[in-house]
């Protein structure tokens, strides 16, 4: 090596944009932490009421994008993630039950049925004009549950803040006979494969 040769000029490194998760869900926050990236959390102010005759997949995509857009207004320089999940029973959207009685009713309707969990993720950056959304579909087959199994499960786990009244990452896995998906964390609430693809496209370096 020639000692008199000039040292190579280091490549300029573009500062990483702030990453913001537009969600108050602890499940999505825990999933995003798996990527090892610093991020902030902000609550989106979005009306989640379904529109007339709105299909579950369209509802999930619309709300995920609306959440990302709402938080991006607060953080215009940031890359913002929004997400939403809707349980789809034969084209009918099932949301979070909110209480024990509605959870019982949901699980009774879903026993022995295949439910598609429509999980959408959207990424928005106002500063660059980036805006994209993708949908992960998870087909879940519920066992033919007895009333006592439903009651025992709900008393044990109280999944009243989960779409479809079941937490597959916990005891809720015992309610199911099969799961089909191409993005393993989608059922929990945030499809990380699609999330990685979108935030990298928006300019966030992962590796």
């Amino acid at each position: 090596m020639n000692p008199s040769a000039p040292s190579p000029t280091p490549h300029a490194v573009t500062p990483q944009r702030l990453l913001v998760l537009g969600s108050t869900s602890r499940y999505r926050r825990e999933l995003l932490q798996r990527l090892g990236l610093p991020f902030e959390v902000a609550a989106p102010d979005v009306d989640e009421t379904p529109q007339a005759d709105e299909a579950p997949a369209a509802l999930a995509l619309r709300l995920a994008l609306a959440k990302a857009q709402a938080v991006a207004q607060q953080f215009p320089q940031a890359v913002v993630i929004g997400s939403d999940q809707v349980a789809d029973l034969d084209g009918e959207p099932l949301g979070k039950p909110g209480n024990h009685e509605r959870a019982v009713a949901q699980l009774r309707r879903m026993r022995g049925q295949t439910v598609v969990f429509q999980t959408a993720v959207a990424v928005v950056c106002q500063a660059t004009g980036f805006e994209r959304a993708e949908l992960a579909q998870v087909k879940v087959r519920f066992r033919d549950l007895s009333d006592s199994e439903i009651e025992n499960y709900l008393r044990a786990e109280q999944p009243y803040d989960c779409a479809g009244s079941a937490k597959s990452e916990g005891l809720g896995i015992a309610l199911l006979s099969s799961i089909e998906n191409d993005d393993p964390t989608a059922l929990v609430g945030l499809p990380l494969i699609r999330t990685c693809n979108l935030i990298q496209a928006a300019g966030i370096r992962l590796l």
Side-chain angles (χ1 to χ4, degrees):
M1 181 175 181
N2 184 353
S4 62
S7 300
T9 303
H11 292 294
V13 177
T14 304
Q16 186 96 309
R17 288 190 181 275
L18 174 66
L19 183 64
V20 179
L21 176 62
S23 174
T24 56
S25 165
R26 67 181 186 275
Y27 310 112
R28 294 191 177 105
R29 183 173 65 249
E30 290 168 359
L31 287 172
L32 191 58
Q33 286 172 343
R34 295 186 187 184
L35 302 183
L37 295 171
F39 65 92
E40 294 189 15
V41 174
D45 184 14
V46 171
D47 181 0
E48 300 189 24
T49 305
Q51 297 175 353
D53 300 322
E54 188 172 26
L59 173 61
L61 281 166
R62 178 176 63 82
L63 292 180
L65 189 56
K67 291 174 182 180
Q69 290 170 334
V71 173
Q73 292 180 3
Q74 305 172 45
F75 300 89
Q77 297 297 320
V79 172
V80 180
I81 301 169
S83 186
D84 192 78
Q85 183 180 76
V86 179
D88 179 349
L89 178 60
D90 296 327
E92 179 186 345
L94 302 178
K96 300 170 185 176
N99 62 41
H100 184 82
E101 291 71 24
R102 284 197 287 267
V104 168
Q106 280 191 352
L107 288 176
R108 284 178 175 172
R109 290 187 61 195
M110 293 188 298
R111 57 186 170 191
Q113 303 296 315
T114 295
V115 179
V116 180
F117 284 80
Q118 311 279 5
T119 307
V121 58
V123 171
V124 171
C125 180
Q126 271 196 4
T128 63
F130 185 90
E131 183 173 292
R132 280 174 53 188
E134 293 190 8
L135 183 71
Q137 297 179 311
V138 184
K139 292 184 179 180
V140 174
R141 182 75 181 179
F142 280 79
R143 293 193 302 104
D144 191 10
L145 304 163
S146 67
D147 286 351
S148 62
E149 285 178 313
I150 290 172
E151 186 69 21
N152 291 340
Y153 167 69
L154 292 176
R155 294 298 180 190
E157 199 150 63
Q158 301 182 13
Y160 308 134
D161 60 346
C162 298
S165 307
K167 291 172 63 175
S168 64
E169 68 274 27
L171 181 59
I173 199 71
L175 305 176
L176 314 178
S177 60
S178 67
I179 298 174
E180 298 177 30
N181 73 86
D182 64 357
D183 205 333
T185 60
L187 189 55
V188 183
L190 185 66
L192 282 181
I193 292 175
R194 287 166 173 80
T195 300
C196 288
N197 291 339
L198 288 176
I199 64 174
Q200 287 184 105
I204 297 291
R205 298 184 305 278
L206 285 172
L207 300 172

